[in-house]
Every structure is written in structure tokens, then in C-alpha cells.
Amino acid sequence: DYTPKKSDKFTFGLWTVGNIGRDPFGDPVRTPMTPEHIVHKLSELGAYGVNFHDNDLVPFGASAQERDRIVKSFKKALEDTGMVVPMATTNLFTHPIFKDGAFTSSDAKVRAFALQKTMQAIDLGAELGATTYVFWGGREGSETDAYRNPVDAIKRFREAINYLCDYVIDQGYNMRFALEPKPNEPRGDIYFPTVGHMLHFISTLDHPEMVGLNPEFAHETMAGLNFVHAVAEAIEAGKLFHIDLNDQIIGRYDQDFRFASENPKRAFFLVKLLEDSGYDGPRHFDAHAYRTEDEEGVWAFARGCMRSYLILKEKAQKFNKDAEIQGLLAEIRAEDENYQGPSASDGYSREHAQQVKDYKFDVTALSQRGRKYEELDQLVMELLLGVR
Ligand code: 3MF
Ligand code: MG
Ligand code: MG
Ligand code: MG
């Protein structure tokens, strides 16, 4: 059966199941739940942990006593359930002070305030055991480039991440950063819109080894890109520190749908990639229930995310064991594997380059060979549609 276990490492943000259904056109449709209630319910459903923005737990502007009271009660819920907090992050987008960004704001006081808020939120995350700290550049962007030079925005974001890496090192926290790209929404454009942009940016930091990615299915999809390929690039670079799972239709608003609800085939290849690659971090759902739902619908949503992941994981195992699929793959790969001539993987030498230049290829035969991907893909479809 597809009942999640703690060992599956499923996590949800407090803001995900806690989403009250406010949107640009309508008021909230659900009453807020306490973090403690969320922790207990998620634990009952088989989740492993819960993540939060500072203000999902401690309201903006709360006093120190209020903070400590809230943290104490939240810790008790964690202890009572065995739930963990693998990841924490900062809300640098809701309060009006961040209307023109946080670390990239054009106002030096706002940039300094963002640092202050983030260091306090890092302390909160560390206190609750978080080992991954996420940075999503919520309002780090623009509607017009008339005012701020985007080159300055890049430099400011770098200064902030470098500063905060030093803070974490100085405090001795066991914590890595995971940067989360998104192309747009809530800004017209957000800086560092894709996984590729972020990967390069990381290579320019003072402590690149401390910083990786938190890619999100919906975000690459909003940009019209293949999320599986983006995750592959992060994995190959050793930078998949965390992942946000949800679903999204290309070209729409930021939907944050239940995992695998819109693109089950792409979700299948994603789950297969994660499982085959040995990724052992949390499977975090950054999604929320439809606005049509009451609390019961929220838990149906949460169960659905985890259940679909486990079903797709089983399908990936079936793919790897299916004799017909594996036979067809072997047949397709045979010529490639039997090739004896020179190739790039031999490494470069002047002599080798001459061998490549002299090698005689049967261009006609190579061009005419069908790839059998139609047949293969249909087998995948039939596996997914449940008739294999
Ligand atoms: C927005 C997001 C964010 C980030 C979060 C950090 C509110 O589209 O995806 O969720 O994931 O801020 O994890
Ligand atoms: Mg998102
Ligand atoms: Mg979102
Ligand atoms: Mg996200």
C-alpha cells in the first residue's frame, strides 16, 4: 500500500497545508490552523517533518517573550510526534517594507533590515534543528529596469549571501544554504530566474561549497522549462540540497497544485531521477489545496501528494524491472555500447584528434536508423496508465 512512513522523508511547509486560500481576487476561505495542530496532523499522515518561514511560526514584530513562548510550544509538538524541522527560511516578501526587494532593495536601510531579519530567522531555524536554510528571492526583482541596474542587484545579492555564510560559520551552525530560483510572481521578473542562473551565481560566492539549490517543479515549469533536466543539472553539480515538489501548468499563474496532479508523466521521470540518483534529502511539498477546500480537503491534498510520490516511485521500480522495457532499452543502446571507434570520453590528445578526423562514418546508415522511442514511450505510458 502507499501509506507514507517517516523513512520516506516527506515534509510540508507550515505555509502549505496552512494556506488559507487568499488570492488576488478573494478573501481567505479557511481559518488558520495552529502550527501545533499542523505538526500533529502531518505526523498522523506519515510525514517526516515540517518547514517554516520565520513568520509562519513567530508573527512579524513579536516580542522576545512571545517568541520564546511560541517556540517552546512548537518544540513540544515536535517532541510529542517525533517530527523534525529539516529546513527553515525567511519571509522577505509579505511585509510592505520588502515591496522593492530585500537584499537587492534600492534602499540601503531595507537591505540591512533584511540581513537583521534573516540572521534572527537563521537563529530560529538552528534552534529547531534545521540544517538547510532556503533563500527564495520573493521580491528580489522588478517591474521596470528604469531605476535599478540589474548588475547592481546581482552584486547586492552576492554580498548578502556571502555575509550570511560568514554568519553561519561564525555561529558554528551545521547549516547549508539552498537557493530557490523562480522566474516571476510576485514581481514582474525575479533575478536569477532558473536553476542554471543560480548554479553559475553559486560559483561566484566566497563559500560555494556551503550553497546549493532548492529547485521547485512549478518554477521551472512557469518558465516553460523541463524541470527534470533542471534537477539533473543540480544533481550533476552536487548541488541538489533540497527540492520543492508541486505541480503547475505552463503559462498560468503560480498554481502550487498537488504533486503530480497536472503532469504525472513528468513527475514520474522526476521521481525516477531522484530515486535512481540516490538523493536522500527531504521530499518537500511546496503546494497547497485548491481554494475550494475545507480542512478535510487540505488533509486529502497532503495525503495525495505523498501517495502520488509513492505510486510513482513504485512505477519507477517497475520500469527498472520490466523485461520488455529493459529489453528494448538494451536493443536501442546496443550499437552505442558496441562502438569501438574513438570518442570524446577517451580524452584529448593531438593523435586522438587526428584519429577522430580520419574515422570513416556511415552517415547514411546512422541517419536512417530509427530510435524506437515511440515504442518505448508507449510502454512508459501503459505502465503509468496501469495496464502493465
Ligand atoms: C514561492 C515559493 C516559496 C518558497 C519559500 C521558501 C512561499 O513560489 O515557492 O514559498 O518555496 O519561500 O522555501
Ligand atoms: Mg513556489
Ligand atoms: Mg508558489
Ligand atoms: Mg518553493
Side-chain angles (χ1 to χ4, degrees), residues 180 214 216 219 244 286:
E180 180 177 341
N214 179 40
E216 175 170 318
H219 296 178
D244 279 5
D286 186 8

